[in-house]
Amino acid sequence: MSPQIEIQLIAVIVAVACALPGTFLVLRKMSMMSDSITHTILLGIVLAFFVTHDLSSPFLIAGAALIGVVTVWLTELLSRTRLLAEDAAIGVVFPLLFSIAIILITRYAGSVHLDTDSVLLGELAFAPFDRMLIGGTDIGAKAIYTSGILLLINLAAIIIFFKEAKVVTFDPMLAAVLGFSPAFVHYGLMTLVSLTTVGAFQAVGSVLVVAFMIGPPVTAYLLTDDLRRMLILSGAIGAVNGILGYQAAALLDVSIAGSMAVVTGLLFMLVFVFAPYRGLISSLLRRRNQKLEFAKTTLLFHLASHEDSEKDIKPDIDTIQTHLHWTAKFTSKIIGSLEHEGYVQLSGNLTNLTEEGRSASIRDYNALFSR
Amino acid sequence: MNSVSALFLDYTFQTVALGSALLGLISGVLGSFAVLRKQSLLGDGVSHSALPGVVMAFVLLGSKKTEVLLMGALISGLLATLFIVGVVRHTRVKFDSALALVMSVFFGLGLVLLTYVQKIPNSNQAGLKRFIFGQASTLLQRDIILMIICGLVLLSLVLLFWKEFKLFTFDTDFAQSLGFSSKKLNLLLSFMIVLAIIIGLQTVGVILMSAMLIAPPVAARQWTNKLWIMVTLSALFGAMSGITGTAASSLVPKLPTGPAIVVCVSIIVLFSILFAPGRGVLYRIYQRRKNKILYKLEGGSPDVPSN
Amino acid sequence: MEKQQNYAVEVEDLTVAYDARPVLWDIDLKIPKGKLMAVVGPNGAGKTTLIKAMLGLLKPVTGAVRFADGSGDVRVLKNRIGYVPQSGSVDWDFPATVQDVVLMGCYGKLGWIRRPRKMDIELTKQTLQKVGMQNYASRQISQLSGGQQQRVFLARALAQEAEVYFMDEPFKGVDAQTERAIVSLLKELKEQGKTVVVVHHDLQTVPDYFDWVTLINLRVVASGPVDEVFHEENLKKTYHSSGALLRSVV
């Protein structure tokens, strides 16, 4: 395999592995917890390194994942005192743990070959240099295997606990009644997030893991309502971001991880603007249509109610305009549209309901108020 | 003790300590409003999002002057805020997700631009990376003057609109019903918070800036029930941590300033949450104990007082 | 028959929508001066929305709200409209004392930038006395019970020295003592010729506490003197119920 293909393969695996637990973070309104964890795992890596003195030791991953869970626990401990808001608790815990990690790294920089830059910012371009050897045979880049295992763990956990995770995400009370422990699912998810962050940081750097965890699920959230579909779509979007990001980075010779984050943002913007139904354009159009429909119904009601109750109010255009506080243009537009549909008849300046108009207003009225 | 007094006479130290103190003071004041408005993490988002602006300003204007770079940071910080607000307003995406997405994408863009700058011949981009981790030691006298000017403007605005900010932060609807435009107040206050974040960047960096905005007010809140005392205390805690952190990093070899300041301010937070009288965790445990003993003495649980 | 001056508030063809989803349809409402009016209706009927629209906090799709002098602009009328929001709408852990919050009622008269004066502080003391909270002036607001919070909000509205008061569920979650205090306060306001509009959820007490009532459910079902419009048929129309539940009430 050429290094380029290997890099893209790693990017795709990492992106999909991040998107899966990210979907639940987005749905559970815990996106900023991933930001917190991605910073604090640095401390876990440093501490575990002091014990193992080996950057590729599996204990490093275990230590870092543990610190991720500890971060969540500390944050919740702090916010449970109710002396500060939950978001403030996040903002107190992670800078502290991160600062301790930076201080440790700087103080023991001589003995630690740990580069803060590479942890935070990552460098995917170097991933193919680290080979996986079995009995002296090169079987591909090591990162393919580490991120591959990560993806398998995430996939397995989500497939096995899909039902539980779904119930806890949408209705924690119901989950507790049904006997699924929300705490178990919560900490399970947080362990996955921590593991994934540790596994991904070497490739993309810890800050950008957030883009991979949150970006694809948020994009998918604008396209579907179904959890299963959202998971699959997030994975697919993540994979596309990985490949496009790499291609753009290769073309412009810039940071691969950064470029993947930018593509994530661009793809989101695209979906944000053009998505069917939930996109910006379709929602603006729909709002405009609803406003017109709504104005027409209002006018029908208005005409119908004044038709029999107050004979002194003439249904001429000017009166309507002042009564409903519409602009002249809007009023004539609505009346024109109602006339076109055959609901009102214009005679001179007077707007009279037709028989259809009367029955339409009664129909709308019943539909609205007989809930 | 000698080394400490010698330190405080050192000119470089004076500059850096003054800068850190100013940063703590300004972010302590504006952070109070951010925390009370439940927008603590907006600071995290804005500071991460400032990175592409810093690099962009350098690329376009070719200058590494602090005010130029900070102007870039301000623009991209505000732009990110606009994006977040726009996404939340027009879709069903929640604030926290929009924040996480926008800040990480902006940060990624910053990295892309940084690696791009590295390739421009004859451009030394060393001054840019200090914004990621912050480098208090590079503070110059003119940076301090810039901080003082911004700080004075921000503080006088807070004093001028004190009544309005207090009302708006406590009860937005009521403020609006009294005829104070909540749109205008929101815009003004948000802009001031973003500005406070931006001027702190070069001291503590984008990652740790959010702590300077959140920690001092959280600590101050525990000691008082009055807004003006909270804001004053918060400014004091911020300034204190700035000076202590700077001193610690000058006295202890290989101790970076930004993280040292954050550790100082975090210690103040933990201390306050544990020991604040009438509110802290220890006081509550003591109170619960006392009540338990009282219940036992009186037999059974006492009636809940109606008032 | 009645002249315009006799109405404190006139609502004309008011339609309000959230995100194009209509919440209130074509509301026509005339609130006579000096009345204590209850706004009742089921959950989701748009009671809070109606109050917020009358206060100018929500922009209506059609229609307008007019106050006694013919103007509908809240900014012009800020000194003449008092507002008691739902007490759950604010964070009671905000660092402020009871007096701080009540003083906010004077901010409208002061306008931008100007500071509260001695007479404003005097006024807050008087209004606190009226709601029986004079001993709590320097108390932190998080240490108040639900009923006390509600009384603080009432005192704040009184400090506005308004002509028309809008109150959103002031009886929600209060103790019996506070409920009595609020009722006597409402009667006092009425005696002073003020108009009070109250969102209310306890149908049983409507005839005792109020003299005017508006029944709404997306639109106005009925509005008028309690003894004329507050009867079973209208309540049925409002709540779409069989009436069995309500028979005991009326």
Side-chain angles (χ1 to χ4, degrees):
Chain A
M1 249 192 290
S2 72
Q4 286 81 3
I5 299 287
E6 279 192 341
I7 291 174
Q8 291 181 61
L9 191 60
I10 298 167
V12 169
I13 297 174
V14 167
V16 177
C18 285
L20 295 177
T23 302
F24 289 97
L25 286 178
V26 167
L27 290 175
R28 306 192 54 185
K29 305 182 189 72
M30 296 186 61
S31 304
M32 287 308 282
M33 202 56 110
S34 76
D35 176 50
S36 171
I37 291 177
T38 52
H39 286 99
T40 57
I41 54 136
L42 183 62
L43 181 60
I45 294 169
V46 176
L47 292 178
F49 183 80
F50 283 153
V51 179
T52 62
H53 293 279
D54 175 11
L55 259 182
S56 55
S57 157
F59 287 111
L60 215 67
I61 295 186
L66 190 67
I67 284 286
V69 177
V70 167
T71 307
V72 177
W73 180 73
L74 277 178
T75 308
E76 287 172 356
L77 187 73
L78 209 54
S79 81
R80 259 204 308 275
T81 65
R82 299 212 280 150
L83 295 173
L84 68 173
E86 198 187 337
D87 59 339
I90 294 179
V92 167
V93 170
F94 91 77
L96 174 61
L97 298 188
F98 184 78
S99 295
I100 295 173
I102 297 276
I103 290 172
L104 287 177
I105 293 175
T106 323
R107 301 237 350 123
Y108 304 101
S111 56
V112 183
H113 296 286
L114 193 62
D115 178 14
T116 333
D117 271 25
S118 73
V119 173
L120 284 175
L121 314 178
E123 196 38 271
L124 200 52
F126 299 148
F129 295 128
D130 199 1
R131 310 302 299 179
M132 188 76 171
L133 298 170
I134 288 186
T137 329
D138 183 349
I139 54 162
K142 206 171 170 183
I144 296 180
Y145 293 93
T146 49
S147 53
I149 292 172
L150 198 69
L151 177 60
L152 286 179
I153 294 175
N154 283 348
L155 266 177
I158 284 173
I159 290 172
I160 295 170
F161 295 109
F162 182 78
K163 184 178 79 233
E164 286 79 1
K166 188 174 176 177
V167 175
V168 171
T169 301
F170 292 107
D171 194 346
M173 295 294 261
L174 177 69
V177 172
L178 292 176
F180 303 131
S181 158
F184 170 74
V185 173
H186 177 61
Y187 276 96
L189 176 64
M190 287 304 149
T191 311
L192 281 191
V193 170
S194 308
L195 267 178
T196 312
T197 308
V198 187
F201 87 88
Q202 278 165 317
V204 296
S206 64
V207 177
L208 294 180
V209 170
V210 180
F212 290 85
M213 279 202 178
I214 306 304
V218 166
T219 314
Y221 193 45
L222 295 182
L223 294 169
T224 178
D225 269 331
D226 182 79
L227 177 60
R228 213 178 292 258
R229 260 188 228 139
M230 188 173 159
L231 280 165
I232 295 168
L233 240 131
S234 302
I237 291 168
V240 170
N241 289 340
I243 292 173
L244 288 182
Y246 172 78
Q247 298 292 348
L251 200 67
L252 301 167
D253 190 20
V254 291
S255 152
I256 299 172
S259 156
M260 293 199 297
V262 173
V263 170
T264 304
L266 289 178
L267 198 65
F268 172 78
M269 281 306 286
L270 211 65
V271 172
F272 169 55
V273 176
F274 296 107
Y277 198 74
R278 291 190 194 83
L280 187 65
I281 291 179
S282 71
S283 95
L284 286 179
L285 276 179
R286 193 174 56 248
R287 263 183 218 189
R288 216 186 60 140
N289 278 339
Q290 270 171 333
K291 200 179 158 192
L292 290 182
E293 278 310 313
F294 184 43
K296 282 195 246 169
T297 315
T298 310
L299 184 55
L300 282 182
F301 283 0
H302 187 73
L303 291 174
S305 65
H306 286 300
E307 203 175 39
D308 34 61
S309 64
E310 292 166 58
K311 289 283 181 225
D312 50 323
I313 296 181
K314 290 248 180 331
D316 66 296
I317 296 177
D318 294 334
T319 321
I320 290 169
Q321 205 179 304
T322 42
H323 262 240
L324 298 178
H325 295 264
W326 285 346
T327 61
K329 205 172 140 206
F330 191 71
T331 314
S332 62
K333 187 176 172 185
I334 297 298
I335 292 176
S337 158
L338 281 175
E339 193 186 14
H340 183 74
E341 285 164 35
Y343 289 153
V344 297
Q345 222 168 17
L346 273 180
S347 54
N349 213 11
L350 290 184
T351 321
N352 290 315
L353 275 180
T354 62
E355 207 41 60
E356 287 99 76
R358 212 161 290 133
S359 57
S361 95
I362 292 167
R363 198 180 56 228
D364 286 349
Y365 187 88
N366 287 336
L368 267 168
F369 297 118
S370 64
R371 305 179 294 164
Chain B
M1 215 50 222
N2 250 346
S3 60
V4 174
S5 55
L7 181 66
F8 277 87
L9 293 172
D10 179 64
Y11 177 74
T12 318
F13 173 78
Q14 283 173 354
T15 314
V16 176
L18 185 59
S20 308
L22 278 170
L23 149 76
L25 189 140
I26 297 166
S27 57
V29 171
L30 271 307
S32 298
F33 291 99
V35 167
L36 287 174
R37 291 184 66 195
K38 310 264 180 292
Q39 288 184 337
S40 303
L41 292 175
L42 192 61
D44 198 31
V46 169
S47 54
H48 278 80
S49 311
L51 188 62
V54 172
V55 187
M56 214 45 168
F58 172 69
V59 172
L60 292 180
L61 302 171
S63 160
K64 252 191 299 185
K65 281 194 181 135
T66 310
E67 57 271 26
V68 173
L69 299 184
L70 289 190
M71 190 48 87
L74 186 65
I75 291 171
S76 77
L78 288 173
L79 210 62
T81 316
L82 269 180
F83 267 122
I84 295 167
V85 172
V87 167
V88 172
R89 177 167 306 164
H90 291 287
T91 68
R92 56 173 174 166
V93 174
K94 306 291 178 303
F95 175 75
D96 66 322
S97 296
L99 182 64
L101 174 72
V102 170
M103 69 178 242
S104 56
V105 168
F106 267 65
F107 193 79
L109 181 64
L111 286 187
V112 166
L113 291 173
L114 258 183
T115 43
Y116 176 76
V117 170
Q118 277 163 351
K119 291 184 307 178
I120 301 175
N122 303 329
S123 79
N124 173 12
Q125 37 77 38
L128 299 178
K129 261 200 173 163
R130 74 187 153 115
F131 281 93
I132 297 182
F133 296 114
Q135 246 169 8
S137 55
T138 61
L139 283 178
L140 303 171
Q141 200 188 359
R142 48 195 305 274
D143 297 337
I144 304 291
I145 293 171
L146 184 71
M147 286 175 96
I148 291 178
I149 295 172
C150 288
L152 280 178
V153 171
L154 287 175
L155 286 184
S156 24
L157 281 173
V158 167
L159 282 178
L160 199 62
F161 293 108
W162 177 261
K163 179 182 96 220
E164 284 78 10
F165 286 161
K166 180 179 180 176
L167 174 67
F168 172 71
T169 309
F170 176 62
D171 194 343
T172 311
D173 269 359
F174 190 71
Q176 176 96 36
S177 85
L178 290 180
F180 298 103
S181 157
S182 51
K183 223 182 219 163
K184 279 182 203 153
L185 280 169
N186 188 18
L187 216 64
L188 179 64
L189 198 51
S190 302
F191 177 80
M192 288 165 65
I193 292 172
V194 171
L195 187 61
I197 293 165
I198 300 302
I199 53 181
L201 284 185
Q202 53 173 345
T203 313
V204 291
V206 301
I207 295 168
L208 295 179
M209 188 52 217
S210 65
M212 294 312 293
L213 208 64
I214 300 170
V218 164
R221 175 69 191 89
Q222 314 308 326
W223 299 92
T224 176
N225 286 325
K226 281 196 168 291
L227 184 63
W228 72 269
I229 300 182
M230 171 179 165
V231 172
T232 315
L233 263 183
S234 173
L236 204 70
F237 287 159
M240 252 164 57
S241 332
I243 295 173
T244 321
T246 314
S249 92
S250 311
L251 293 170
V252 181
K254 290 202 246 171
L255 182 64
T257 316
I261 296 175
V262 171
V263 170
C264 283
V265 80
S266 304
I267 290 173
I268 298 180
V269 170
L270 294 181
F271 182 84
S272 307
I273 284 183
L274 287 177
F275 300 109
R279 197 177 148 101
V281 173
L282 283 189
Y283 173 85
R284 277 204 227 159
I285 293 174
Y286 164 75
Q287 201 70 9
R288 220 170 292 154
R289 278 266 168 82
K290 209 173 80 182
N291 284 346
K292 236 184 217 162
I293 294 167
L294 269 177
Y295 295 168
K296 265 191 193 145
L297 283 178
E298 294 186 3
S301 56
D303 291 329
V304 180
S306 68
N307 264 317
Chain C
M1 192 174 74
E2 279 172 307
K3 276 188 225 132
Q4 179 135 353
Q5 277 90 319
N6 293 335
Y7 294 116
V9 190
E10 278 182 90
V11 179
E12 212 170 66
D13 297 306
L14 187 77
T15 298
V16 186
Y18 286 127
D19 282 345
R21 190 175 56 85
V23 186
L24 288 176
W25 277 94
D26 204 28
I27 300 281
D28 277 304
L29 198 59
K30 289 181 168 133
I31 306 171
K33 259 189 186 168
K35 298 285 179 204
L36 286 183
M37 186 179 95
V39 179
V40 295
N43 286 335
K47 295 176 302 244
T48 298
T49 308
L50 176 62
I51 281 208
K52 286 194 171 178
M54 289 200 275
L55 280 159
L57 299 178
L58 293 173
K59 203 173 164 288
V61 184
T62 65
V65 178
R66 244 192 293 276
F67 290 88
D69 66 348
S71 155
D73 191 350
V74 169
R75 262 160 296 175
V76 181
L77 289 153
K78 63 189 171 198
N79 303 334
R80 257 183 273 150
I81 300 172
Y83 179 35
V84 179
Q86 287 195 16
S87 62
S89 64
V90 301
D91 172 17
W92 287 93
D93 197 37
F94 191 86
T97 59
V98 166
Q99 171 151 350
D100 289 337
V101 173
V102 178
L103 199 55
M104 288 176 186
C106 304
Y107 285 8
K109 276 168 276 181
L110 292 170
W112 288 87
I113 295 169
R114 275 173 59 200
R115 295 294 148 103
R117 300 147 296 182
K118 255 216 179 80
M119 51 179 282
D120 296 315
I121 292 169
E122 265 323 297
L123 181 65
T124 63
K125 281 184 184 152
Q126 284 167 25
T127 60
L128 273 174
Q129 185 126 33
K130 271 192 192 150
V131 298
M133 294 279 291
Q134 64 275 24
N135 296 330
Y136 293 83
S138 52
R139 186 73 73 93
Q140 150 69 14
I141 53 172
S142 66
Q143 295 162 6
L144 303 176
S145 70
Q148 290 168 335
Q149 291 175 352
Q150 202 65 63
R151 285 199 244 172
V152 169
F153 265 7
L154 272 171
R156 181 176 72 173
L158 292 180
Q160 290 184 264
E161 297 186 305
E163 288 302 315
V164 185
Y165 287 92
F166 293 97
M167 304 185 180
D168 201 348
E169 306 231 17
F171 295 107
K172 195 176 181 179
V174 305
D175 49 291
Q177 190 195 346
T178 302
E179 179 147 349
R180 278 195 302 276
I182 297 176
V183 170
S184 69
L185 202 69
L186 290 182
K187 303 251 143 113
E188 198 185 319
L189 285 172
K190 179 186 153 64
E191 272 159 30
Q192 290 167 15
K194 316 271 184 183
T195 313
V196 189
V197 178
V198 180
V199 171
H200 195 57
H201 61 260
D202 182 10
L203 294 176
Q204 311 265 1
T205 51
V206 168
D208 299 333
Y209 294 173
F210 301 97
D211 51 7
W212 207 263
V213 66
T214 294
L215 297 130
I216 65 165
N217 190 356
L218 301 179
R219 69 203 157 106
V220 174
V221 176
S223 180
V226 171
D227 44 8
E228 278 175 34
V229 300
F230 196 68
H231 52 68
E232 195 179 335
E233 203 195 320
N234 279 339
L235 283 169
K236 249 197 243 170
K237 269 198 229 159
T238 315
Y239 288 84
H240 298 294
S241 107
S242 66
L245 252 172
L246 304 166
R247 207 154 290 146
S248 58
V249 177
V250 185

